[in-house]
Amino acid sequence: MTVPPLVDLTRDIEASPETVWGILTTPELFSGWMDGQVTFEPTVGSAFRAEFPNFQTVIAGTIVRLDTEARTIEMTWGVESGPQADHFPAGSSLVSMSVEAVERGCRVHLTHAQLPSTAEAMDHEGGWRFHLSKMALVANRTDLAAGLDRTLADWFAAWNDQDDASRLETLRRCCSADVEFRDDWTEMSGVDLLNQHIANCFRYMPGYALEPDGDVRICRGEALVAWRTHGPMGEQVGINHICASPDGTILRVTGFAKP
């Protein structure tokens, strides 16, 4: 007996399992992830429908398993209308996605079974790899945006705090213990040395204040954060390239000042 072709993929994602599970079980978030118009109810027996107008394709099937405790969702999958509808009809294959917690976020396991041919399996494997990569982007951006909303406030507060003890406490709230910092003037590792560096900035460049300047741009664990300083000698602008964990903890900062 010939076993139908199977896609079997695993992807680690730097985001919480709850965030990824929310994408898989919320039609609006599922739609944003897939760049389509997806409708379903998060319950067994619900019709599943995904419209992709740009590709003139509609995917249709049924939710056949939704286990919140195991964070597993399964649905039948096939083409209701579109170029593949004649040989890959609606509900003719089975997609399963599960989410488990790992040390740096979560792991998604995806299988797509009962595909009509090896060629379709190869085509869908490429598509699912793309979509899992997109999920990693969307989920990390969701978590990191919330995390940086907290830690960047502390980051800028530390650079404006002239009290050594309270500044160190603030830095420890927003940075890892071995945070790396580098710009045109220095490079260092460790929150204690960063605290000393900021103290020296107050000593040698008195009267300056640092503030954020515009929106934060986030991509896969990294962010671009514009800043502005103003003081006795005028104003300077620049941007920080920040690497951070999904909860917003700052791991590395490289500062670029505009000439």
Side-chain angles (χ1 to χ4, degrees), residues 9-26 29-35 71 73 75 95-100 106-110 127-144 219-221:
L9 299 172
T10 300
R11 172 76 189 227
D12 285 1
I13 295 177
E14 291 192 22
S16 69
E18 292 79 13
T19 295
V20 173
W21 182 240
I23 292 172
L24 293 176
T25 55
T26 307
L29 299 179
F30 204 118
S31 297
W33 164 44
M34 297 288 285
D35 289 323
R71 296 196 189 95
I73 184 171
M75 64 199 72
V95 173
S96 175
M97 291 175 280
S98 61
V99 185
E100 65 172 314
C106 66
R107 178 169 296 147
V108 177
H109 182 211
L110 180 148
W128 282 120
R129 285 187 186 278
F130 168 80
H131 284 298
L132 287 177
S133 179
K134 175 79 178 297
M135 177 182 283
L137 171 71
V138 172
N140 176 263
R141 183 173 282 162
T142 298
D143 281 2
L144 187 51
C219 183
R220 302 186 187 279

Side-chain angles (χ1 to χ4, degrees), residues 100-182:
E100 65 172 314
V102 295
E103 183 178 355
R104 290 183 58 83
C106 66
R107 178 169 296 147
V108 177
H109 182 211
L110 180 148
T111 61
H112 194 163
Q114 302 169 24
L115 288 157
S117 67
T118 300
E120 284 291 350
M122 293 176 63
D123 183 53
H124 278 75
E125 179 172 335
W128 282 120
R129 285 187 186 278
F130 168 80
H131 284 298
L132 287 177
S133 179
K134 175 79 178 297
M135 177 182 283
L137 171 71
V138 172
N140 176 263
R141 183 173 282 162
T142 298
D143 281 2
L144 187 51
L148 287 177
D149 189 54
R150 171 183 61 84
T151 57
L152 285 178
D154 279 338
W155 173 261
F156 283 102
W159 283 85
N160 293 300
D161 185 354
Q162 298 191 42
D163 183 88
D164 289 349
S166 66
R167 184 176 60 248
L168 180 58
E169 182 179 347
T170 302
L171 287 172
R172 285 175 173 165
R173 284 199 305 267
C174 64
C175 298
S176 65
D178 57 351
V179 61
E180 297 179 25
F181 179 81
R182 50 193 176 183

